């Protein structure tokens, strides 16, 4: 079983009480290394590992590994190293058109939370919804880390190096997004 596994689109739609996001395209969770086999994975094409450790190989899945620095500093999104990592992850997601996608780290909380927050912010999901989606993670007692990350992200168009990524994410993840 993958810790904290959930369909981000389904969670956001439930929080908002309406269908805003396409479901079944973006999943988030913890490590996949305790799974017996691929049948325990959600129906995804790609697994993106944000941990420093390697994943087990799942032969029928595309697997990417873009590790973050392992520290509480992952929430300090103004830090140049963190900003570079966030941009690298978002570029990889968009460039390679890898949906349906499972983003994961160890517990599906910190690194996964930061990337999920940026994706949601980029597609114009309101910060209170992003915070509530983040707080669905088992074991969290405070939303302070994600609030800090969102504040430091600032204006998405200025934070992300390639502005075309925003349109790609909106077109892919939002329901009824005008092309």
């Amino acid at each position: 079983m993958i810790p904290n596994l959930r369909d981000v689109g389904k969670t956001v739609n439930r929080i908002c009480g309406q269908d805003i996001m396409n479901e079944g395209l973006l999943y988030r969770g913890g490590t996949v290394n305790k799974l017996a086999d691929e049948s325990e994975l959600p129906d995804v094409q790609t697994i993106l590992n944000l941990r420093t450790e390697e994943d087990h190989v799942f032969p029928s899945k595309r697997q990417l590994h873009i590790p973050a620095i392992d520290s509480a500093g992952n929430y300090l999104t103004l830090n140049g190293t963190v900003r570079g990592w966030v941009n690298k992850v978002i570029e990889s997601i968009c460039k390679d058109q890898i949906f349906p996608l499972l983003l994961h780290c160890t517990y599906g909380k910190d690194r996964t939370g930061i990337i999920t927050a940026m994706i949601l912010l980029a597609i114009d999901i309101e910060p209170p919804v992003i915070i509530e989606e983040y707080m669905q993670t088992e074991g969290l007692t405070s939303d302070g880390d994600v609030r800090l990350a969102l504040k430091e992200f600032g204006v998405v168009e200025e934070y992300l190096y390639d502005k075309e990524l925003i349109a790609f994410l909106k077109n892919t993840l939002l329901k009824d997004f005008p092309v």
Side-chain angles (χ1 to χ4, degrees), residues 38-54:
E38 289 187 30
S39 68
E40 296 182 65
L41 289 166
D43 188 19
V44 295
Q45 174 179 309
T46 309
I47 301 168
L48 176 48
N49 177 8
L50 304 173
R51 302 172 313 123
T52 55
E53 300 84 17
E54 297 285 335

Side-chain angles (χ1 to χ4, degrees), residues 2-8 27-32 48 50-51 102-109 111-113 116:
I2 300 172
N4 288 310
L5 177 65
R6 64 183 171 274
D7 179 332
V8 176
Y27 294 86
R28 64 176 286 175
T31 184
V32 298
L48 176 48
L50 304 173
R51 302 172 313 123
L102 168 62
L103 289 170
H104 84 89
C105 57
T106 304
Y107 298 107
K109 176 177 69 106
R111 293 158 283 193
T112 300
T116 302

Side-chain angles (χ1 to χ4, degrees), residues 2-170:
I2 300 172
N4 288 310
L5 177 65
R6 64 183 171 274
D7 179 332
V8 176
K10 187 178 286 189
T11 303
V12 167
N13 292 344
R14 181 180 44 75
I15 292 167
C16 292
Q18 59 182 325
D19 287 344
I20 294 172
M21 290 183 67
N22 291 313
E23 297 179 4
L25 290 180
L26 178 61
Y27 294 86
R28 64 176 286 175
T31 184
V32 298
N33 280 350
K34 295 181 181 175
L35 301 181
D37 59 48
E38 289 187 30
S39 68
E40 296 182 65
L41 289 166
D43 188 19
V44 295
Q45 174 179 309
T46 309
I47 301 168
L48 176 48
N49 177 8
L50 304 173
R51 302 172 313 123
T52 55
E53 300 84 17
E54 297 285 335
D55 277 345
H56 293 304
V57 174
F58 296 100
S60 74
K61 305 297 179 191
R62 180 176 188 188
Q63 292 179 259
L64 301 174
H65 186 210
I66 307 174
I69 54 171
D70 277 335
S71 76
N74 288 334
Y75 289 100
L76 301 175
T77 54
L78 281 179
N79 173 292
T81 302
V82 175
R83 183 177 181 190
W85 170 74
V86 169
N87 271 275
K88 183 176 180 179
V89 171
I90 299 298
E91 287 173 14
S92 178
I93 289 169
C94 297
K95 174 186 70 160
D96 297 331
Q97 300 185 21
I98 59 177
F99 292 98
L101 168 68
L102 168 62
L103 289 170
H104 84 89
C105 57
T106 304
Y107 298 107
K109 176 177 69 106
D110 300 315
R111 293 158 283 193
T112 300
I114 292 306
I115 297 300
T116 302
M118 172 47 77
I119 291 169
L120 294 176
L121 196 60
I123 65 170
D124 296 328
I125 302 299
E126 294 294 322
V129 175
I130 297 171
I131 292 165
E132 190 170 339
E133 191 283 332
Y134 174 81
M135 290 303 295
Q136 303 297 306
T137 304
E138 185 178 319
L140 286 176
T141 58
S142 169
D143 62 9
D145 288 334
V146 75
R147 285 182 184 277
L148 173 63
L150 288 169
K151 178 181 175 193
E152 290 189 352
F153 281 145
V155 178
V156 175
E157 291 81 5
E158 294 173 12
Y159 191 87
L160 292 178
Y161 302 146
D162 183 347
K163 310 317 174 240
E164 292 179 17
L165 303 178
I166 298 168
F168 173 81
L169 289 170
K170 287 179 178 180

